């Protein structure tokens, strides 16, 4: 009786102090074999689960935690089993409890997180669930990071009375491939549990808008938390970010209509992010224009998305030498930040000081998470740029997907030189740190190969993003000590070269995490992580992403990748039908996006890119991957750059042409490299064109349209 009264009192106390919110439903299975798993944020987790879960499980407690004197009081209130997670035999006790029909609650990490993200996942709980065929209920707990009861007080801002959310997820049963090897069976179970835990962390996040998430993050970290720095050598706190966001949003609303696409032509500076979020807050849609793409591409983008107003900066336009290009744009009004600031009236300032800053949620009308948050544009490497419409839901889902597999904390500092008009630079490089409390340094160009390594050193950055091309050039000019603080180097946008991977490992002792994605997927689909890494692949798919591989005639390896998930775009704006949203659809059905990539997925879920459908040549009736041709060239000449394209050949259908910066590269060297890699001679190009440098897009990708035109011109 006393125990029941005490639990009732504690439940009321914690609901009052921590405003505990419980979502989802937990139903005991018919066979009563139930394993409840959860992430582990603090010493209070077990007590909160014991108080608020509708079942009374046996809690499995780490022996180290059980030795904490103050924690013994909590253990006296619950049924518990003390085990050492590192002891493989200890899990037998859990198996016996499950077989007896006792619900069991366990933290698969075995310890309270010290990073704020998931730690190492022990395979014992998964083995117990698989052995007993128990139902698994994943439960996510959120809010106690940085509290007095966590182990992250030194790395996260202290929160005395945070709001705690407990999200009960749908039940799952492990389905593992048959194997006679017990060790392999245990590893497979552990891998499956890791994926379940990552999906649980992702699914536990509430739906928000970008502006709403910014306000939530500000409330969590405080307005004095310094979060963004840029090339102006200024550091901005969340309070300053909020002020700039509200002011720029109100100013922009004077020159635009609700739901209007407003072009942004600005570099990687703090004002760019504040303008983007400000437009969102006022119901406008920022359209991020690629200022490196040239006049024709910018005009095409404005036409496709019906952009009538572009906001830029006179200082930036002058420095980037864009004056003539912008003057040549038709049917577009240009606004400059320097002129707009003069339109901030006394009434605007009073609104900002008396209402918006003290009560930002009341000052701005909330919008639908499914509404358009931003329009990005495809690179145009294979045709006219298309407008990619991304919702608040898609962007925040991708941020949460990334954070569920890679831990970022306020102690980290990201250097982002990838342009924010590129999806990689916008989502992972700018929005992710800004909306999660991770410090960020913005740099306007990834092409400054000597400066960026020095900045990484000077700013003590721990995370760096880049393409293979950019990372290779940073390595050439960097001092071996420049990157000593880096925890993560993440590569995307193009295939990571083996030579680049090797030089970073040998010179700096850093393992590059290669990822894969598309603008249409906001952008990350897969990434290697510290917990799941396989060299030569782009990692495993992120939680929440469904995949289908459809066969392609003439291509034996892999299949054409189609994806669906919460991070998929709302649709396209095409040049042929300006302003008309074309929802995603593919051969796999409505809501699916065809990536255009041929991929292979191994038994462990790692993804290997075989090539793009459009980057296959039909030579004498056989399909040849141009990616393979480039791989052969890189093997023969690893220090040079190479690009393959296909030209019309009346006798063979198509002929492969290799464009290379290696003036000494010969067909004989390519044949030797092809045989060493096990490729047929048909993949060895008959023509090699030598150039001093290959055309690049502003995002660092090879400009295959320009390369094809160059090959035609030189042939």
């Amino acid at each position: 009786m006393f125990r029941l009264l005490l639990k009732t009192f504690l439940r009321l106390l914690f609901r009052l102090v921590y405003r505990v919110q419980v979502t989802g439903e937990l139903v005991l299975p018919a066979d009563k074999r139930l394993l409840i798993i959860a992430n582990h944020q603090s010493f209070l987790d077990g007590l909160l689960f014991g108080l608020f879960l509708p079942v009374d499980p046996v809690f499995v407690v780490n022996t180290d935690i059980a030795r904490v004197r103050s924690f013994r009081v909590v253990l006296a209130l619950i049924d518990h089993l003390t085990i050492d997670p590192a002891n493989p035999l200890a899990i037998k006790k859990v198996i016996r409890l499950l077989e007896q029909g006792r619900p069991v609650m366990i933290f698969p990490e075995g310890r309270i997180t010290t990073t704020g993200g998931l730690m190492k996942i022990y395979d014992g709980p998964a083995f117990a669930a698989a052995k007993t065929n128990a139902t698994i209920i994943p439960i996510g707990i959120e809010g106690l990071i940085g509290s007095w009861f966590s182990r992250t007080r030194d790395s996260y801002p202290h929160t005395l009375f945070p709001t705690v959310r407990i999200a009960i997820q749908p039940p799952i049963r492990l389905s593992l491939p048959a194997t006679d090897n017990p060790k392999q069976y245990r590893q497979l179970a552990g891998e499956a549990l890791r994926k379940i835990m990552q999906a649980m962390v992702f699914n536990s996040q509430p739906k928000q808008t970008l502006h709403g998430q910014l306000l939530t993050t500000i409330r969590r970290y405080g307005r004095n938390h310094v979060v963004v720095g840029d090339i102006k050598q200024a550091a901005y706190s969340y309070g300053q970010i909020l002020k700039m966001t509200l002011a720029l949003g109100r100013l922009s609303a004077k020159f635009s209509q609700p739901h209007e696409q407003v072009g942004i032509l600005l570099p990687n500076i703090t004002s760019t992010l504040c303008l983007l979020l400000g437009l969102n807050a006022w119901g406008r849609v920022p359209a991020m224009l690629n200022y490196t793409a040239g006049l024709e591409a910018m005009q095409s983008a404005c036409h496709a998305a019906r952009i009538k107003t572009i906001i830029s900066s006179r200082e930036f336009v002058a420095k980037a030498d864009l004056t003539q290009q912008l003057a040549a744009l038709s049917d577009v009004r240009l606004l400059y930040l320097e002129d707009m600031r003069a339109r901030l009236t006394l009434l605007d300032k009073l609104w900002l000081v008396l209402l918006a800053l003290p009560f930002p949620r009341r000052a701005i009308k909330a919008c639908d998470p499914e509404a358009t948050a931003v329009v990005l544009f495809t690179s145009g490497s294979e045709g006219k740029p298309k407008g990619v419409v991304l919702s608040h839901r898609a962007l925040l889902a991708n941020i949460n997907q990334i954070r569920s597999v890679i831990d970022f904390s306020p102690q980290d500092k990201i250097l982002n030189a990838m342009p924010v008009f590129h999806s990689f630079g916008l989502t992972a490089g700018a929005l992710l740190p800004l909306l999660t409390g991770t410090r960020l340094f913005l740099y306007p160009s990834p092409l400054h190969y000597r400066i960026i390594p020095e900045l990484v050193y000077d700013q003590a950055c721990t995370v760096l993003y880049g393409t293979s091309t950019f990372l290779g050039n940073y390595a050439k000019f960097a001092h071996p000590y420049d990157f000593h603080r880096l925890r993560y180097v993440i590569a995307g946008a193009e295939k990571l070269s083996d030579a680049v991977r090797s030089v970073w490992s040998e010179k700096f002792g850093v393992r590059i995490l290669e990822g894969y994605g598309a603008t249409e997927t906001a952008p990350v689909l897969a990434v290697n992580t510290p917990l799941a890494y396989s060299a030569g692949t782009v990692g495993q798919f992120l939680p929440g992403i469904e995949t289908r591989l459809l066969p392609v005639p003439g291509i034996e390896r892999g299949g054409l990748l189609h994806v669906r998930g919460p991070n998929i775009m709302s649709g396209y704006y095409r040049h042929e039908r300006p302003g008309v949203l074309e929802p995603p659809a593919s051969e796999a059905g409505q809501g699916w996006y065809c990536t255009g990539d041929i991929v292979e997925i191994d038994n462990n879920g790692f993804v290997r890119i075989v090539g793009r459908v459009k980057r296959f040549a039909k030579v004498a009736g056989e399909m040849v991957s141009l990616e393979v041709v480039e791989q052969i060239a890189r093997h023969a000449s690893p220090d040079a750059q190479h690009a393959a394209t296909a030209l019309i050949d009346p006798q063979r259908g198509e002929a492969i042409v290799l464009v290379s910066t290696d003036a000494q590269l010969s067909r004989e060297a390519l044949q030797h490299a092809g045989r060493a890699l096990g490729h047929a001679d048909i993949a060895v190009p008959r023509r090699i064109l030598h150039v001093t440098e290959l055309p690049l897009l502003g995002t660092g990708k090879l400009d295959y349209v320009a390369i094809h035109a160059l090959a035609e011109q030189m042939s």
Side-chain angles (χ1 to χ4, degrees), residues 473-518:
N473 282 299
Y474 300 155
K476 289 179 183 178
F477 297 104
H479 185 277
Y481 202 66
D482 283 342
F483 300 139
H484 76 286
R485 288 290 303 275
L486 286 178
R487 288 205 309 135
Y488 299 131
V489 176
I490 302 176
E494 65 175 343
K495 182 176 177 57
L496 179 63
S497 160
D498 290 336
V500 173
R501 182 187 291 111
S502 177
V503 73
W504 273 82
S505 177
E506 294 174 6
K507 186 175 180 180
F508 310 112
V510 175
R511 182 174 65 178
I512 299 176
L513 303 177
E514 185 178 5
Y516 161 70

Side-chain angles (χ1 to χ4, degrees), residues 211 213-225 238-239 241-242 434:
H211 184 67
Q213 182 61 48
L214 175 66
L215 297 181
T216 299
T217 306
I218 292 174
R219 186 173 66 237
R220 179 175 183 180
Y221 293 96
R223 297 195 180 191
N224 292 327
H225 180 66
Y238 270 127
I241 294 290
L242 179 61
L434 181 63

Side-chain angles (χ1 to χ4, degrees), residues 198-242:
Q198 290 173 341
M200 175 267 295
V201 171
F202 164 66
N203 291 326
S204 299
Q205 303 302 315
K207 289 187 176 181
Q208 282 266 33
T209 62
L210 296 184
H211 184 67
Q213 182 61 48
L214 175 66
L215 297 181
T216 299
T217 306
I218 292 174
R219 186 173 66 237
R220 179 175 183 180
Y221 293 96
R223 297 195 180 191
N224 292 327
H225 180 66
V226 176
V227 67
V228 182
D230 59 27
I231 194 61
K232 294 183 177 181
Q233 298 300 316
Y236 299 89
S237 67
Y238 270 127
Q240 293 168 308
I241 294 290
L242 179 61

